[in-house]
């Protein structure tokens, strides 16, 4: 049985690594989850313009290597 996506999860889909993050306006995120994403091909990080549904299993859990890569890039953005 699959678990719904939640805050802090790292997900992967179509060459992008996503991290579910909080949003300052809970009404904005009603019905979905806000995320940052890293384009693996370019190494650039963005806020996703789309909400991820909690039960959208087309996003798979990111690997340990992908999570480490994401965290390294995120650290350099701050």
């Amino acid at each position: 049985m699959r678990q719904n996506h939640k805050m802090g999860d790292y997900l992967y889909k179509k060459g992008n690594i996503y991290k579910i993050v909080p949003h300052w306006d809970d009404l904005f995120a009603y019905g979905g989850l806000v995320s940052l994403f890293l384009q693996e091909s370019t190494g650039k990080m963005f806020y996703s313009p789309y909400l991820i549904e909690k039960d959208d299993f087309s996003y798979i859990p990111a690997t340990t290597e992908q999570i480490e890569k994401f965290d390294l890039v995120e650290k350099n953005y701050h």
Side-chain angles (χ1 to χ4, degrees):
M1 183 175 181
R2 292 185 177 184
Q3 296 283 333
N4 284 347
H5 307 310
K6 62 189 179 309
M7 195 70 56
D9 281 355
Y10 291 83
L11 307 171
Y12 183 82
K13 183 177 181 179
K14 297 182 181 178
N16 296 318
I17 306 165
Y18 297 82
K19 180 180 179 183
I20 306 299
V21 296
H23 191 275
W24 62 271
D25 183 356
D26 289 337
L27 292 176
F28 173 82
Y30 180 75
L33 299 166
V34 177
S35 65
L36 291 173
F37 75 94
L38 172 67
Q39 283 182 324
E40 276 193 306
S41 61
T42 65
K44 293 182 180 179
M45 186 169 281
F46 305 92
Y47 270 101
S48 178
Y50 305 104
L51 297 177
I52 296 174
E53 297 297 322
K54 293 178 182 178
D55 60 354
D56 182 350
F57 298 114
S58 65
Y59 293 86
I60 61 172
T63 65
T64 301
E65 182 179 283
Q66 290 167 332
I67 292 169
E68 289 171 354
K69 183 176 183 178
F70 184 101
D71 287 344
L72 180 62
V73 172
E74 183 181 31
K75 181 180 175 182
N76 290 330
Y77 267 73
H78 292 291

XYZ file of all heavy atoms in Angstrom:
659
model
N 0.835 -1.187 0.000
C 0.000 0.000 0.000
C 0.880 1.251 0.000
O 1.785 1.379 0.818
C -0.901 -0.021 1.233
C -1.854 1.103 1.317
S -2.901 0.808 2.759
C -3.933 2.190 2.640
N 0.624 2.135 -0.897
C 1.431 3.359 -1.005
C 0.968 4.414 -0.010
O -0.215 4.555 0.252
C 1.323 3.935 -2.412
C 1.983 3.075 -3.450
C 1.933 3.765 -4.771
N 2.626 2.965 -5.758
C 2.812 3.354 -6.996
N 2.353 4.509 -7.404
N 3.466 2.590 -7.831
N 1.932 5.168 0.485
C 1.650 6.273 1.385
C 1.442 7.548 0.568
O 2.108 7.737 -0.448
C 2.825 6.488 2.335
C 3.099 5.340 3.268
C 2.106 5.295 4.410
O 1.551 6.311 4.789
N 1.878 4.113 4.933
N 0.543 8.402 1.009
C 0.379 9.698 0.354
C 1.637 10.527 0.546
O 2.342 10.389 1.548
C -0.820 10.443 0.932
C -2.138 9.904 0.430
O -2.196 9.137 -0.521
N -3.211 10.299 1.067
N 1.921 11.413 -0.405
C 3.055 12.325 -0.297
C 2.788 13.303 0.844
O 1.657 13.675 1.110
C 3.241 13.103 -1.597
C 3.339 12.240 -2.813
N 4.186 11.151 -2.903
C 2.688 12.302 -4.006
C 4.061 10.596 -4.099
N 3.153 11.265 -4.776
N 3.876 13.722 1.494
C 3.742 14.649 2.616
C 4.924 15.621 2.644
O 5.902 15.437 1.927
C 3.629 13.884 3.925
C 4.846 13.039 4.246
C 4.594 12.140 5.435
C 5.780 11.267 5.755
N 6.357 10.513 4.659
N 4.805 16.628 3.507
C 5.834 17.643 3.665
C 7.193 16.985 3.911
O 7.311 16.063 4.696
C 5.481 18.518 4.872
C 6.246 19.806 4.925
S 5.740 20.963 3.643
C 4.003 21.091 3.957
N 8.210 17.446 3.185
C 9.562 16.942 3.352
C 9.920 15.773 2.451
O 11.082 15.396 2.375
N 8.933 15.196 1.761
C 9.227 14.086 0.844
C 10.036 14.572 -0.350
O 9.872 15.703 -0.811
C 7.935 13.460 0.311
C 7.262 12.523 1.293
O 7.827 12.271 2.372
O 6.158 12.045 0.965
N 10.899 13.699 -0.832
C 11.643 13.928 -2.071
C 11.051 12.983 -3.112
O 10.957 11.775 -2.877
C 13.122 13.608 -1.894
C 13.872 14.570 -1.003
C 13.850 14.427 0.373
C 14.621 15.608 -1.548
C 14.556 15.294 1.199
C 15.329 16.479 -0.741
C 15.291 16.316 0.624
O 15.997 17.180 1.432
N 10.680 13.535 -4.254
C 10.043 12.752 -5.307
C 10.797 12.935 -6.613
O 11.554 13.895 -6.779
C 8.587 13.195 -5.473
C 7.734 13.205 -4.204
C 6.389 13.870 -4.477
C 7.549 11.801 -3.679
N 10.548 12.044 -7.547
C 11.202 12.103 -8.851
C 10.170 11.873 -9.943
O 9.293 11.016 -9.815
C 12.293 11.038 -8.940
C 13.063 11.088 -10.234
C 14.095 11.990 -10.412
C 12.738 10.247 -11.283
C 14.801 12.057 -11.606
C 13.431 10.305 -12.476
C 14.462 11.208 -12.634
O 15.150 11.272 -13.813
N 10.290 12.664 -11.018
C 9.427 12.480 -12.185
C 10.054 13.174 -13.386
O 10.426 14.348 -13.302
C 8.032 13.057 -11.924
C 7.052 12.840 -13.065
C 5.671 13.365 -12.696
C 4.694 13.127 -13.822
N 3.358 13.614 -13.455
N 10.183 12.458 -14.481
C 10.632 13.000 -15.771
C 11.885 13.870 -15.676
O 11.934 14.983 -16.187
C 9.508 13.791 -16.432
C 8.301 12.970 -16.771
C 7.245 13.790 -17.467
C 6.032 12.945 -17.775
N 4.974 13.722 -18.399
N 12.917 13.376 -15.006
C 14.183 14.104 -14.953
C 14.241 15.233 -13.949
O 15.200 16.002 -13.935
N 13.233 15.362 -13.101
C 13.220 16.406 -12.082
C 13.107 15.770 -10.699
O 12.384 14.794 -10.504
C 12.039 17.356 -12.279
C 12.124 18.113 -13.578
O 13.192 18.578 -13.977
N 11.008 18.238 -14.259
N 13.810 16.358 -9.750
C 13.743 15.937 -8.358
C 12.941 16.999 -7.612
O 13.257 18.186 -7.697
C 15.149 15.812 -7.739
C 16.026 14.893 -8.588
C 15.061 15.321 -6.297
C 17.505 14.992 -8.253
N 11.923 16.573 -6.898
C 11.031 17.487 -6.182
C 11.178 17.305 -4.681
O 11.381 16.194 -4.203
C 9.567 17.200 -6.542
C 9.235 17.423 -7.987
C 9.502 16.456 -8.936
C 8.651 18.611 -8.398
C 9.202 16.664 -10.273
C 8.350 18.824 -9.735
C 8.628 17.844 -10.660
O 8.333 18.059 -11.984
N 11.043 18.400 -3.943
C 10.981 18.344 -2.485
C 9.715 19.091 -2.071
O 9.526 20.251 -2.440
C 12.203 19.011 -1.853
C 12.172 18.966 -0.330
C 13.399 19.638 0.257
C 13.370 19.612 1.761
N 14.533 20.337 2.325
N 8.859 18.404 -1.318
C 7.628 19.026 -0.851
C 7.984 19.998 0.264
O 8.627 19.619 1.248
C 6.623 17.967 -0.339
C 6.374 16.886 -1.397
C 5.334 18.629 0.113
C 5.785 17.384 -2.694
N 7.584 21.262 0.109
C 7.936 22.323 1.056
C 6.675 23.045 1.531
O 5.646 23.019 0.863
C 8.903 23.349 0.406
C 10.229 22.692 0.054
C 8.292 24.000 -0.811
N 6.753 23.713 2.688
C 5.598 24.480 3.170
C 5.388 25.729 2.322
O 6.320 26.233 1.699
C 5.960 24.842 4.607
C 7.436 24.709 4.686
C 7.869 23.746 3.622
N 4.170 26.209 2.310
C 3.854 27.462 1.624
C 3.278 28.422 2.640
O 2.499 28.020 3.508
C 2.861 27.221 0.479
C 2.714 28.403 -0.416
N 1.857 29.432 -0.156
C 3.343 28.732 -1.563
C 1.945 30.344 -1.102
N 2.845 29.941 -1.973
N 3.633 29.679 2.546
C 3.200 30.669 3.535
C 1.691 30.867 3.531
O 1.103 31.295 4.506
C 3.908 32.001 3.301
C 3.612 32.609 1.965
C 4.305 32.388 0.809
C 2.547 33.488 1.630
N 3.731 33.077 -0.229
C 2.651 33.776 0.240
C 1.520 34.068 2.351
C 1.754 34.606 -0.412
C 0.632 34.903 1.694
C 0.757 35.160 0.330
N 1.017 30.549 2.444
C -0.427 30.740 2.338
C -1.101 29.377 2.160
O -1.112 28.821 1.068
C -0.739 31.647 1.150
C -2.217 31.960 1.001
O -3.036 31.425 1.776
O -2.559 32.726 0.092
N -1.646 28.849 3.251
C -2.268 27.529 3.188
C -3.409 27.461 2.187
O -3.675 26.413 1.614
C -2.782 27.097 4.558
C -1.648 26.757 5.507
O -0.544 26.429 5.024
O -1.865 26.814 6.728
N -4.097 28.566 1.948
C -5.198 28.554 0.982
C -4.696 28.345 -0.439
O -5.362 27.737 -1.259
C -6.004 29.852 1.069
C -6.799 30.033 2.358
C -7.477 31.401 2.357
C -7.814 28.929 2.544
N -3.485 28.846 -0.726
C -2.896 28.661 -2.052
C -2.714 27.187 -2.354
O -2.938 26.725 -3.462
C -1.547 29.383 -2.137
C -0.794 29.100 -3.408
C -1.094 29.779 -4.567
C 0.195 28.134 -3.443
C -0.411 29.518 -5.753
C 0.880 27.855 -4.613
C 0.568 28.553 -5.766
N -2.283 26.455 -1.348
C -1.943 25.052 -1.548
C -3.120 24.116 -1.277
O -2.940 22.915 -1.214
C -0.774 24.684 -0.650
N -4.296 24.652 -1.130
C -5.461 23.807 -0.862
C -5.616 22.777 -1.975
O -5.665 23.121 -3.150
C -6.727 24.663 -0.756
C -7.961 23.847 -0.476
C -8.194 23.335 0.792
C -8.862 23.567 -1.484
C -9.303 22.576 1.050
C -9.987 22.797 -1.234
C -10.203 22.308 0.044
O -11.303 21.550 0.292
N -5.634 21.521 -1.593
C -5.838 20.463 -2.572
C -4.566 19.932 -3.199
O -4.604 19.025 -4.015
N -3.417 20.478 -2.839
C -2.174 19.990 -3.409
C -0.985 20.405 -2.573
O -1.120 21.144 -1.607
N 0.169 19.927 -2.953
C 1.405 20.205 -2.226
C 2.329 21.081 -3.068
O 2.478 20.874 -4.265
C 2.115 18.891 -1.892
C 1.316 17.929 -1.001
C 1.959 16.543 -1.024
C 1.219 18.455 0.408
N 2.962 22.048 -2.431
C 3.896 22.959 -3.083
C 5.275 22.311 -3.054
O 5.638 21.627 -2.103
C 3.917 24.318 -2.341
C 4.939 25.259 -2.943
C 2.533 24.947 -2.364
N 6.069 22.545 -4.112
C 7.386 21.919 -4.143
C 8.433 22.811 -4.793
O 8.117 23.712 -5.555
C 7.327 20.594 -4.906
O 7.020 20.831 -6.265
N 9.670 22.539 -4.433
C 10.836 23.021 -5.171
C 11.215 21.890 -6.099
O 11.002 20.722 -5.768
C 12.014 23.253 -4.228
C 11.949 24.376 -3.230
C 13.153 24.285 -2.292
C 11.952 25.705 -3.929
N 11.773 22.212 -7.254
C 12.288 21.112 -8.065
C 13.617 21.476 -8.678
O 13.921 22.632 -8.931
C 11.285 20.630 -9.118
C 11.113 21.514 -10.327
C 11.835 21.281 -11.480
C 10.194 22.550 -10.314
C 11.664 22.062 -12.602
C 10.006 23.346 -11.426
C 10.739 23.098 -12.576
N 14.410 20.439 -8.864
C 15.737 20.555 -9.446
C 15.721 19.841 -10.787
O 15.373 18.666 -10.858
C 16.767 19.896 -8.522
C 18.191 19.764 -9.064
C 18.830 21.139 -9.214
C 19.020 18.878 -8.162
N 16.061 20.571 -11.850
C 16.212 19.932 -13.159
C 17.560 19.232 -13.145
O 18.594 19.887 -13.037
C 16.208 20.967 -14.283
C 14.866 21.495 -14.640
C 14.976 22.476 -15.807
O 15.932 23.234 -15.916
N 13.984 22.444 -16.670
N 17.541 17.926 -13.240
C 18.810 17.189 -13.208
C 19.719 17.567 -14.366
O 20.925 17.652 -14.209
C 18.545 15.680 -13.242
C 18.251 15.098 -11.890
C 18.309 13.600 -11.899
O 17.618 12.973 -12.717
O 19.051 13.047 -11.075
N 19.143 17.827 -15.521
C 19.954 18.095 -16.712
C 20.697 19.426 -16.640
O 21.776 19.562 -17.201
C 19.082 18.051 -17.964
O 18.074 19.047 -17.897
N 20.130 20.421 -15.940
C 20.756 21.743 -15.890
C 21.323 22.096 -14.523
O 22.132 23.011 -14.406
C 19.746 22.847 -16.264
O 18.706 22.874 -15.263
C 19.151 22.628 -17.635
N 20.855 21.407 -13.471
C 21.284 21.741 -12.120
C 20.624 22.985 -11.570
O 21.019 23.507 -10.541
N 19.575 23.473 -12.246
C 18.866 24.673 -11.802
C 17.677 24.287 -10.934
O 17.012 23.292 -11.173
C 18.392 25.497 -12.994
C 19.533 26.090 -13.790
C 19.030 26.936 -14.917
C 20.207 27.514 -15.699
N 19.756 28.319 -16.828
N 17.397 25.142 -9.931
C 16.329 24.882 -8.991
C 15.228 25.923 -9.160
O 15.504 27.096 -9.403
C 16.877 24.926 -7.569
C 15.875 24.526 -6.522
S 16.653 24.286 -4.917
C 17.359 22.666 -5.176
N 13.980 25.480 -9.034
C 12.816 26.339 -9.215
C 11.726 25.988 -8.212
O 11.668 24.855 -7.735
C 12.201 26.130 -10.609
C 13.152 26.319 -11.742
C 13.852 25.254 -12.258
C 13.348 27.572 -12.302
C 14.729 25.409 -13.320
C 14.224 27.745 -13.357
C 14.921 26.658 -13.865
N 10.839 26.956 -7.934
C 9.573 26.630 -7.286
C 8.682 26.084 -8.371
O 8.601 26.637 -9.455
C 8.904 27.871 -6.676
C 9.308 28.119 -5.251
C 10.254 29.076 -4.942
C 8.740 27.374 -4.220
C 10.630 29.300 -3.630
C 9.107 27.593 -2.908
C 10.052 28.555 -2.625
O 10.427 28.773 -1.326
N 8.018 24.998 -8.094
C 7.140 24.397 -9.096
C 5.888 25.249 -9.262
O 5.270 25.641 -8.277
C 6.740 22.984 -8.683
O 5.856 22.447 -9.636
N 5.490 25.529 -10.501
C 4.252 26.288 -10.729
C 3.004 25.417 -10.582
O 1.897 25.906 -10.663
C 4.403 26.770 -12.173
C 5.263 25.730 -12.810
C 6.199 25.246 -11.728
N 3.193 24.125 -10.351
C 2.073 23.190 -10.248
C 2.039 22.560 -8.866
O 3.078 22.296 -8.274
C 2.198 22.077 -11.298
C 2.333 22.607 -12.692
C 3.559 22.597 -13.336
C 1.232 23.154 -13.351
C 3.690 23.106 -14.619
C 1.364 23.669 -14.620
C 2.588 23.639 -15.260
O 2.709 24.161 -16.512
N 0.845 22.306 -8.374
C 0.690 21.602 -7.114
C 0.751 20.105 -7.368
O 0.270 19.623 -8.386
C -0.657 21.954 -6.469
C -0.846 23.419 -6.085
C -2.247 23.628 -5.517
C 0.202 23.866 -5.095
N 1.344 19.380 -6.458
C 1.408 17.926 -6.537
C 0.293 17.379 -5.655
O 0.197 17.725 -4.472
C 2.769 17.398 -6.057
C 3.883 17.893 -6.981
C 2.760 15.874 -5.973
C 5.283 17.540 -6.519
N -0.540 16.553 -6.218
C -1.605 15.921 -5.442
C -0.991 14.928 -4.463
O -0.032 14.235 -4.797
C -2.593 15.207 -6.365
C -3.320 16.141 -7.316
C -4.192 17.159 -6.611
O -4.818 16.816 -5.589
O -4.241 18.316 -7.081
N -1.553 14.853 -3.280
C -1.020 13.964 -2.244
C -1.005 12.507 -2.675
O -0.179 11.728 -2.220
C -1.831 14.113 -0.965
C -1.676 15.460 -0.320
C -2.528 15.592 0.904
C -2.363 17.006 1.474
N -3.195 17.224 2.646
N -1.908 12.144 -3.571
C -2.019 10.748 -3.988
C -1.636 10.539 -5.459
O -2.063 9.579 -6.082
C -3.416 10.210 -3.716
C -4.496 10.993 -4.457
O -4.183 12.022 -5.096
O -5.663 10.558 -4.395
N -0.812 11.436 -6.011
C -0.361 11.309 -7.405
C 0.895 10.436 -7.436
O 2.001 10.904 -7.190
C -0.065 12.682 -8.001
C 0.352 12.612 -9.464
O 0.597 11.492 -9.973
O 0.437 13.669 -10.095
N 0.703 9.158 -7.750
C 1.813 8.221 -7.695
C 2.576 8.122 -9.010
O 3.366 7.201 -9.203
C 1.323 6.862 -7.208
C 0.765 6.953 -5.811
C -0.577 6.736 -5.575
C 1.578 7.313 -4.749
C -1.092 6.849 -4.292
C 1.076 7.438 -3.467
C -0.272 7.199 -3.236
N 2.367 9.105 -9.906
C 3.256 9.193 -11.066
C 4.600 9.781 -10.620
O 5.589 9.694 -11.332
C 2.632 10.038 -12.181
O 2.478 11.380 -11.777
N 4.627 10.393 -9.426
C 5.869 10.836 -8.791
C 6.349 9.678 -7.925
O 5.596 9.167 -7.097
C 5.620 12.051 -7.888
C 5.219 13.293 -8.630
C 3.884 13.532 -8.946
C 6.159 14.239 -9.003
C 3.500 14.684 -9.618
C 5.790 15.389 -9.675
C 4.463 15.601 -9.980
O 4.102 16.734 -10.641
N 7.592 9.268 -8.124
C 8.127 8.156 -7.347
C 9.118 8.690 -6.312
O 9.653 9.800 -6.472
C 8.808 7.106 -8.263
C 9.981 7.733 -9.031
C 7.789 6.478 -9.213
C 10.827 6.722 -9.796
N 9.377 7.940 -5.256
C 10.371 8.396 -4.270
C 11.747 8.567 -4.924
O 12.169 7.738 -5.726
C 10.388 7.270 -3.241
C 9.067 6.595 -3.380
C 8.727 6.699 -4.847
N 12.426 9.646 -4.574
C 13.774 9.899 -5.100
C 14.756 8.944 -4.441
O 14.560 8.502 -3.304
C 14.173 11.346 -4.820
N 15.838 8.644 -5.152
C 16.890 7.791 -4.608
C 17.756 8.599 -3.636
O 17.718 9.836 -3.631
C 17.797 7.242 -5.723
O 18.497 8.346 -6.327
C 16.992 6.494 -6.777
N 18.540 7.901 -2.850
C 19.457 8.561 -1.914
C 20.406 9.490 -2.665
O 20.658 10.616 -2.231
C 20.258 7.510 -1.117
O 19.333 6.672 -0.410
C 21.212 8.164 -0.136
N 20.910 9.050 -3.798
C 21.822 9.875 -4.603
C 21.116 11.148 -5.094
O 21.695 12.234 -5.066
C 22.322 9.060 -5.796
C 23.318 9.808 -6.663
C 23.797 8.945 -7.820
O 24.634 8.057 -7.574
O 23.326 9.181 -8.951
N 19.880 11.028 -5.537
C 19.126 12.195 -6.005
C 18.853 13.164 -4.854
O 18.946 14.377 -5.028
C 17.812 11.755 -6.645
C 18.001 11.043 -7.964
C 16.746 10.337 -8.441
O 15.899 9.920 -7.653
N 16.634 10.185 -9.756
N 18.536 12.633 -3.685
C 18.286 13.486 -2.511
C 19.552 14.252 -2.140
O 19.501 15.459 -1.874
C 17.782 12.640 -1.322
C 16.379 12.096 -1.633
C 17.781 13.446 -0.028
C 15.888 11.045 -0.658
N 20.691 13.579 -2.133
C 21.967 14.239 -1.808
C 22.281 15.333 -2.822
O 22.741 16.418 -2.455
C 23.088 13.216 -1.749
C 22.991 12.298 -0.547
C 23.965 11.132 -0.584
O 24.659 10.940 -1.607
O 24.024 10.401 0.425
N 22.037 15.058 -4.102
C 22.276 16.054 -5.154
C 21.368 17.264 -4.943
O 21.811 18.413 -5.020
C 22.012 15.423 -6.522
C 22.285 16.329 -7.682
C 22.081 15.581 -8.997
C 22.419 16.427 -10.194
N 22.258 15.679 -11.450
N 20.097 17.027 -4.665
C 19.139 18.098 -4.428
C 19.593 18.955 -3.242
O 19.624 20.181 -3.326
C 17.746 17.513 -4.152
C 16.677 18.554 -4.001
C 15.819 18.833 -5.047
C 16.523 19.258 -2.820
C 14.828 19.803 -4.914
C 15.543 20.226 -2.676
C 14.698 20.500 -3.728
N 19.916 18.299 -2.119
C 20.322 19.029 -0.914
C 21.565 19.876 -1.145
O 21.661 20.995 -0.631
C 20.553 18.065 0.248
C 19.249 17.504 0.807
O 18.163 18.062 0.515
O 19.317 16.488 1.532
N 22.511 19.379 -1.919
C 23.725 20.130 -2.209
C 23.396 21.393 -3.018
O 23.864 22.489 -2.693
C 24.726 19.266 -2.976
C 26.043 19.929 -3.341
C 26.815 20.333 -2.083
C 26.882 18.995 -4.191
N 22.578 21.252 -4.035
C 22.201 22.413 -4.849
C 21.377 23.391 -4.018
O 21.603 24.599 -4.060
C 21.421 21.979 -6.119
C 20.861 23.187 -6.851
C 22.329 21.158 -7.034
N 20.430 22.880 -3.224
C 19.597 23.754 -2.386
C 20.459 24.542 -1.406
O 20.235 25.732 -1.189
C 18.556 22.926 -1.641
C 17.603 23.783 -0.814
C 16.592 22.955 -0.062
O 16.891 21.811 0.327
O 15.483 23.481 0.153
N 21.455 23.901 -0.821
C 22.356 24.567 0.120
C 23.080 25.732 -0.557
O 23.261 26.790 0.036
C 23.372 23.555 0.663
C 24.328 24.108 1.657
C 25.295 23.036 2.125
C 26.343 23.603 3.027
N 27.313 22.580 3.434
N 23.490 25.551 -1.790
C 24.197 26.601 -2.521
C 23.287 27.746 -2.971
O 23.776 28.818 -3.287
C 24.920 26.004 -3.728
C 26.089 25.144 -3.312
O 26.711 25.374 -2.280
N 26.365 24.124 -4.101
N 21.969 27.516 -2.992
C 21.033 28.566 -3.362
C 20.737 29.513 -2.210
O 20.214 30.579 -2.402
C 19.721 27.952 -3.886
C 19.685 27.785 -5.378
C 20.431 26.790 -6.007
C 18.927 28.631 -6.171
C 20.405 26.635 -7.376
C 18.893 28.483 -7.548
C 19.641 27.477 -8.145
O 19.618 27.341 -9.502
N 21.035 29.082 -0.985
C 20.726 29.914 0.202
C 21.895 30.724 0.616
O 22.960 30.628 0.466
C 20.259 29.047 1.365
C 18.937 28.417 1.109
N 17.775 29.124 1.039
C 18.602 27.127 0.865
C 16.778 28.296 0.803
N 17.252 27.087 0.688
